[in-house]
Amino acid sequence: MTRSSLPPITQVTGGVEGFAASYPAMQELADRIASTAGRLRDHAAADAHALADPALVESAPLSPVTFAEAESRLLEAMTGAHGILEEAIGCETLALLIRAEVAAFQECDRLVAVSLRVLDDQLGEAAGYAARLSAPALVVAGLVAAPAWRLMSERTRRRLGRELEVWLDDHPEAVQHAVDGSGGLLDGLLGVPPIDPTVADAASDLSRLYPPEATPRVVRRRDLATPLGAVAPDDLTGLLRHLRQTNALSPADRPGDQGTIEVQRLRARREDGAAPDRYIVYLPGTDDPTAMPWSHDRDVRDLPADLHVMAGEPAAYTRGIERAMTRAGVGPRDPVLLVGHSLGGMEAATMLARGSGFRVTHVVTAGSPVAGMPGYPAHSHVLSLENRGDVVPLLDGRDNADSRQQVTVQFDDPGRSVLGSHRLGHYVHGAAAAEVSPDASIAEQLASLRAHGFLGSGAAATSQVFQIVR
């Protein structure tokens, strides 16, 4: 793609230029100002000692005029207008005001988030309650509408479908608020007291409709490989292209190959001395998003896996990824980059946020709902790509956190349908747009990936493909 044909980046949040990143800087400024106030007080104390200096006092009878002038100037410097004590008090007051302002901003952010969550939950509960009361009428309406829908021409049905997709593309916030209120909707439909205040709670309850997650079985697939497996990625676009190739190892028409992932080893160069090898783990997304409890099978990348991960619970896919990494030779101190699409990105973010026994330093997600993560380690990096027409990243019901560790890049590369906008090809385009973006937060994320040898290292690469099944 040429630079002019790249999809536009519509919003960037988080990172070194994010609003939340200014909070620590403001706190540091307040600390420096408070430290300055302390030094000014020390100078004032030194001036007080000078006033009582025996040599100065003994000189008073010899030169009363100059003694009085010296005393006056010391007092003025210490306690006069713009004196040391006044400046010290001013610095202390300014430091207190900055700290109070930061605390107020943080509390405001928290209150806004909580208020929106409570409002979405109450609206969802009201909608569920109304649907439960009007269930008979809805059944009758469905019976009446079904024949009318069948009588419509195929062209009319396609037009209505396109209009709905256009509306969803223009109003993504509606989908997000609807999902955020899903816990209340579930409570309203069931007619129970509020037991699902969050999306995670609702996902946890729904996951219990399925059989318990079984112990995963991990198989090395020597018959499968990707063309880019022996090539270290040059840039973010190459990284996403490689992920798309890994995703293609599990096509819908070959259900026996579902659950495949790739572990790529980037060998340390001789000039790096004792530096460890680096690993990139490529994690495709959901293979079966429509799995029902009665159709539960050996595929680990299905709807119950989505529900478990969204609820913050371990899934078979999670444990399978860890076992595959161990079998691939990844050690506990080896630097690891996890890159995932959809469910794969959720797994990657979860392994970083909640710990995995591996040294995960970087995560790249594509079309993944990862806003429910509890937070990331201080020096880690998370780059999240979201296509504006893709509803999957909205399924967590809220925006990603504005944190220094995570940068969320939203771009607009519409597909032919809502599901089409979720395809990895669009995220390859989004990665290319991010590569040329002047945004400082994006640039810092990419610079860190290069500095840690994950991008542009030119290292010798080898790969192993594993299949994870229940």
Side-chain angles (χ1 to χ4, degrees), residues 8-12 384 386-388 399 408-412:
I9 291 178
T10 57
Q11 186 178 20
V12 179
S384 296
E386 296 184 354
N387 189 8
R388 190 177 186 278
D399 294 330
T408 302
V409 181
Q410 295 178 338
F411 60 94
D412 193 5

Side-chain angles (χ1 to χ4, degrees), residues 14-35:
V16 295
E17 288 291 298
F19 192 65
S22 65
Y23 293 157
M26 293 173 69
Q27 291 280 19
E28 183 180 355
L29 176 61
D31 292 341
R32 290 183 178 180
I33 294 174
S35 177

Side-chain angles (χ1 to χ4, degrees), residues 235-385:
D235 52 24
L236 187 65
T237 308
L239 184 73
L240 268 293
R241 283 200 186 103
H242 194 156
L243 177 60
R244 184 170 60 175
Q245 290 183 356
T246 306
N247 183 69
L249 296 177
S250 303
D253 59 351
R254 292 209 312 266
D257 291 335
Q258 289 178 344
T260 48
I261 70 170
E262 183 176 1
V263 181
Q264 187 180 39
R265 180 182 183 181
L266 307 181
R267 294 190 177 276
R269 297 169 299 185
R270 290 182 179 179
E271 56 266 30
D272 291 338
D277 292 340
R278 297 169 301 284
Y279 290 85
I280 304 177
V281 184
Y282 299 87
L283 305 174
T286 309
D287 294 319
D288 183 8
T290 60
M292 294 290 105
W294 53 86
S295 63
H296 197 249
D297 56 20
R298 63 200 295 265
D299 183 12
V300 296
R301 292 200 296 244
D302 55 7
L303 179 57
D306 290 309
L307 294 172
H308 280 298
V309 177
M310 193 166 289
E313 301 167 352
Y317 190 27
T318 314
R319 294 190 290 267
I321 293 168
E322 295 173 352
R323 290 189 179 188
M325 291 172 64
T326 300
R327 288 190 56 180
V330 183
R333 296 186 179 181
D334 296 328
V336 177
L337 160 64
L338 302 176
V339 52
H341 174 236
S342 193
L343 171 62
M346 293 167 63
E347 293 283 10
T350 298
M351 291 175 67
L352 174 61
R354 302 183 188 277
S356 63
F358 296 98
R359 187 187 168 198
V360 179
T361 61
H362 293 73
V363 164
V364 176
T365 70
S368 303
V370 294
M373 295 300 122
Y376 301 105
H379 300 292
S380 61
H381 285 74
V382 180
L383 180 59
S384 296
L385 303 176

Side-chain angles (χ1 to χ4, degrees), residues 45-282:
D47 288 347
H49 287 300
L51 284 172
D53 186 88
L56 181 62
V57 174
E58 290 174 1
S59 69
L62 302 175
S63 181
V65 176
T66 55
F67 172 78
E69 183 179 354
E71 291 277 296
S72 175
R73 290 188 177 183
L74 280 172
L75 283 171
E76 183 178 1
M78 185 171 58
T79 62
H82 306 297
I84 294 176
L85 284 178
E86 181 182 313
E87 294 297 325
I89 293 172
C91 287
E92 289 175 341
T93 303
L94 180 58
L96 287 173
L97 288 174
I98 292 174
R99 286 169 178 156
E101 186 176 0
V102 171
F105 275 129
Q106 292 175 323
E107 184 64 14
C108 183
D109 290 344
R110 188 189 68 81
L111 288 175
V112 168
V114 170
S115 298
L116 287 175
R117 203 168 304 146
V118 170
L119 178 61
D120 288 342
D121 183 67
Q122 290 179 342
L123 290 174
E125 186 177 358
Y129 181 71
R132 181 164 56 87
L133 291 181
S134 58
L138 291 175
V139 171
V140 173
L143 293 174
V144 173
W149 176 260
R150 286 195 296 269
L151 290 173
M152 286 183 188
S153 67
E154 183 65 26
R155 182 177 180 181
T156 302
R157 288 200 291 264
R158 285 200 301 267
R159 179 177 58 80
L160 291 174
R162 284 196 299 270
E163 289 178 356
L164 175 60
E165 289 177 351
V166 169
W167 188 87
L168 290 174
D169 185 60
D170 292 337
H171 302 85
E173 67 282 351
V175 177
Q176 200 166 39
H177 286 300
V179 173
D180 196 30
S182 59
L185 177 65
L186 185 61
D187 292 339
L189 285 171
L190 297 177
V192 297
I195 59 173
D196 295 296
T198 67
V199 175
D201 294 326
S204 180
D205 283 344
L206 290 173
S207 69
R208 293 189 178 93
L209 299 175
Y210 294 83
E213 288 286 89
T215 301
R217 188 165 67 94
V218 179
V219 180
R220 171 84 184 276
R221 291 293 301 269
R222 299 180 186 275
D223 59 316
L224 298 178
T226 57
L228 289 173
V231 181
D234 281 335
D235 52 24
L236 187 65
T237 308
L239 184 73
L240 268 293
R241 283 200 186 103
H242 194 156
L243 177 60
R244 184 170 60 175
Q245 290 183 356
T246 306
N247 183 69
L249 296 177
S250 303
D253 59 351
R254 292 209 312 266
D257 291 335
Q258 289 178 344
T260 48
I261 70 170
E262 183 176 1
V263 181
Q264 187 180 39
R265 180 182 183 181
L266 307 181
R267 294 190 177 276
R269 297 169 299 185
R270 290 182 179 179
E271 56 266 30
D272 291 338
D277 292 340
R278 297 169 301 284
Y279 290 85
I280 304 177
V281 184
Y282 299 87

